[in-house]
Amino acid sequence: AQSVTQPDIHITVSEGASLELRCNYSYGATPYLFWYVQSPGQGLQLLLKYFSGDTLVQGIKGFEAEFKRSQSSFNLRKPSVHWSDAAEYFCAVEGGATNKLIFGTGTLLAVQP
Amino acid sequence: SAVISQKPSRDICQRGTSLTIQCQVDSQVTMMFWYRQQPGQSLTLIATANQGSEATYESGFVIDKFPISRPNLTFSTLTVSNMSPEDSSIYLCSVIGQQETQYFGPGTRLLVL
């Protein structure tokens, strides 16, 4: 069965520091992978997605993610975090013809001044 | 990306009552989805709503509790029936937009007393 694991429930980084949020997936074939961000009291906003091709994907707000098939990972990175990046981040996998998304449990990011 | 609105944005309801949540999209879409996000948790798919057919429910969700309507390609409703405090959640609708990407509405925040 498809699943997504986000090992870090909560991460705190200093403003200007680099960020990496981990995501591991379980899926038999090549998955479609997504990162969404949810700011407090807001809905979900798509940061980036991977369907195929180049394994390094650029997204909005300066985020990028790298698909590593050998590690079943799709980690999200940002070289310099801004205070406005404080939010909850969800990794998701979509597989098959149903377009259903399976979400990880999320990582809550706090940014220290 | 599709522009999705939901009504109401939030509500406080008494146990035993029902609430109908509306989801409106600014373009015609084939597939719409309803998700639940319980407090402090990730998103779980309730059902897939396709126009012209009955909704397809995920394991653990039943039509009697969460009836769904999909009268046209831009609109859907989810009813949370006979509510209990355990139904307190954020309910989000989503659609498949361009490039097979899923976009989410802002969510309906429900508190059941």
Side-chain angles (χ1 to χ4, degrees):
Chain A
Q2 303 160 26
S3 66
V4 177
T5 302
Q6 293 181 247
D8 304 306
I9 297 174
H10 186 268
I11 285 181
T12 300
V13 299
S14 299
E15 191 167 15
S18 63
L19 171 71
E20 182 168 22
L21 303 182
R22 295 183 290 166
C23 172
N24 293 96
Y25 67 90
S26 173
Y27 185 65
T30 300
Y32 291 175
L33 294 160
F34 305 82
W35 275 99
Y36 289 87
V37 60
Q38 186 177 38
S39 299
Q42 303 294 313
L44 268 72
Q45 182 180 22
L46 178 69
L47 285 175
L48 48 77
K49 61 190 178 188
Y50 172 78
F51 285 177
S52 64
D54 193 346
T55 56
L56 184 62
V57 180
Q58 301 297 320
I60 63 171
K61 304 184 178 185
F63 285 93
E64 66 177 27
E66 186 170 11
F67 171 61
K68 293 185 176 180
R69 184 190 303 276
S70 61
Q71 299 177 18
S72 297
S73 69
F74 189 57
N75 295 348
L76 182 72
R77 301 193 294 250
K78 186 170 184 178
S80 177
V81 170
H82 188 262
W83 63 266
S84 61
D85 294 323
E88 188 150 25
Y89 292 79
F90 292 95
C91 181
V93 62
E94 177 195 309
T98 62
N99 298 111
K100 294 190 299 186
L101 286 179
I102 306 298
F103 283 87
T105 50
T107 297
L108 185 62
L109 173 66
V111 180
Q112 287 181 334
Chain B
S1 63
V3 177
I4 306 167
S5 60
Q6 289 186 232
K7 290 182 180 179
S9 58
R10 60 181 68 239
D11 207 342
I12 301 173
C13 300
Q14 297 297 318
R15 68 175 68 205
T17 63
S18 297
L19 176 71
T20 296
I21 302 168
Q22 300 178 5
C23 179
Q24 180 76 53
V25 190
D26 69 341
S27 58
Q28 293 185 337
V29 293
T30 303
M31 301 182 76
M32 296 180 76
F33 304 86
W34 286 98
Y35 288 82
R36 181 177 73 180
Q37 186 179 21
Q38 294 178 298
Q41 300 196 24
S42 187
L43 285 81
T44 302
L45 180 64
I46 298 172
T48 302
N50 294 328
Q51 195 269 337
S53 63
E54 286 195 3
T56 303
Y57 289 82
E58 297 299 302
S59 176
F61 297 96
V62 294
I63 187 171
D64 290 346
K65 176 66 175 178
F66 297 101
I68 288 171
S69 77
R70 182 80 199 275
N72 56 54
L73 292 174
T74 64
F75 187 79
S76 177
T77 67
L78 169 76
T79 299
V80 186
S81 303
N82 188 26
M83 288 184 286
S84 67
E86 291 71 35
D87 294 319
S88 298
S89 297
I90 302 173
Y91 292 87
L92 301 102
C93 68
S94 70
V95 303
I96 301 292
Q98 294 179 347
Q99 299 180 337
E100 295 294 311
T101 299
Q102 205 162 134
Y103 296 95
F104 286 81
T108 295
R109 284 152 180 78
L110 171 62
L111 176 63
V112 183
L113 302 177

